[in-house]
Amino acid sequence: MQDLKLNETPVRTSRNFNINNIKLESVNIPEKIGSFSNIKIINESDDIKVENSKTKCNLKYGLDTFLTNQVENKSNQNLKITIDGKKNKTLEIDFLFNSDNNELVENIDITVKKNSKGIVILKYMSKDNLEFYHNGIIKVHGEANSNITVIIVNLLNQKANNFVSIENLLEENSKLICNMIEFGGKNNIVNFYSNLLGNNSENLVNTIYLGKEKQLIDLNYIGELRGEKSNINIEVQGALKDNSRKNFKGTIDFKKGCKKSKGNENESCMLLSDTSHSLALPMLLCSEEEVEGNHSSSSGKVDEKELFYIMTRGFDIKSAIKLIVRAKFNKVLENILNEELKEQILQEIDERLN
């Protein structure tokens, strides 16, 4: 068992907000990491290749030094994905946790070559209702004029500890779309950092989360704009039920040299119980002129008039809430073009709202 202090904000705020970091007590961190072989790679091709190769972590932020070092020294899955083609093909990698594969510490490096494009889906699922452990680092490097969509789907159970650090580097005229589904994990802690280095680089981030029982969700998104006319847009939609808690920290930092750049972030949380709890900290930092930045955050209960209207059409209250949550998430889900995956996510939403 170990105490952890994770996911520090890049700029500290008042302690009274209780959101500068997240403290976890008595977390079961395995000292020895066993093997993890229950992995399926789908649609590998000449345009999207996967190698078993380990790369250096070298994170600017990450969750903390301890978890970064664990990936550096004890990872049991090391995947280097190279996209080199213009056909926008899709690669899917599924990680299925079960009694024989209960610890995953992975290092995933994605490189999108110049003028290339593609889609990578990373899906994490648990078959058994056991206590699983996941600590992962995902790095994306978009070379000049590249276009990449990364979809991360977390469907782990409510006993898992899920720790993920994501870091992106975007060169000139590159575009990265990140669609993230954050449903699983007793503790679901995510650090997302994007370095928009090149001129006209763009990062669109779309996230949905759904908390239940005593689940803790802590999301720390950081975007640093350095290239001229670069753009980041962060859209986060979530819902909390039971005694679940969520912290969202979003920082858009306009660095020197990013003239005429734009940054937007919006986080909205629907509270489905009186005992769920939501905190949000959107921040804009600026060291450059001629930039445009916007942020917003909101949380509240289901609109009673909307709920009443749906129930007058013959739906019970549970079905009505499901429809409202689905509609709220649709703005993010419409960015997932894989219909089979989208249907699986919708089914998961229904099951978790039962």
Side-chain angles (χ1 to χ4, degrees), residues 221-284:
Y221 290 6
I222 305 162
E224 295 182 342
L225 295 86
R226 290 184 167 83
E228 288 190 9
K229 297 182 181 179
S230 52
N231 174 47
I232 187 168
N233 190 84
I234 300 171
E235 181 71 31
V236 181
Q237 299 286 335
L240 301 174
K241 59 180 291 192
D242 305 324
N243 295 305
S244 58
R245 294 187 294 139
K246 179 260 348 179
N247 298 327
F248 170 76
K249 297 161 281 190
T251 305
I252 296 177
D253 192 351
F254 295 95
K255 297 293 188 180
K256 198 69 177 176
C258 72
K259 286 184 181 293
K260 300 181 180 180
S261 293
K262 295 181 180 180
N264 296 283
E265 59 178 323
N266 173 56
E267 193 269 341
S268 178
C269 179
M270 184 183 298
L271 302 174
L272 304 178
S273 73
D274 294 331
T275 51
S276 56
H277 188 62
S278 171
L279 283 177
L281 177 65
M283 290 192 291
L284 295 176

Side-chain angles (χ1 to χ4, degrees), residues 15 22 30 33 59 81 94 120 123 130 173 192 204 213 215 247 289 311 328 334 336 346-347 349:
R15 291 182 182 178
I22 189 71
I33 304 298
L59 298 179
I81 301 169
D94 295 346
V120 176
K123 190 160 58 173
L130 302 174
N173 295 313
F192 180 96
L204 306 180
E213 298 174 1
Q215 184 177 9
N247 298 327
E289 300 176 350
M311 292 179 67
K328 185 180 182 67
E334 66 185 8
I336 298 177
L346 289 171
Q347 290 177 3
I349 291 171

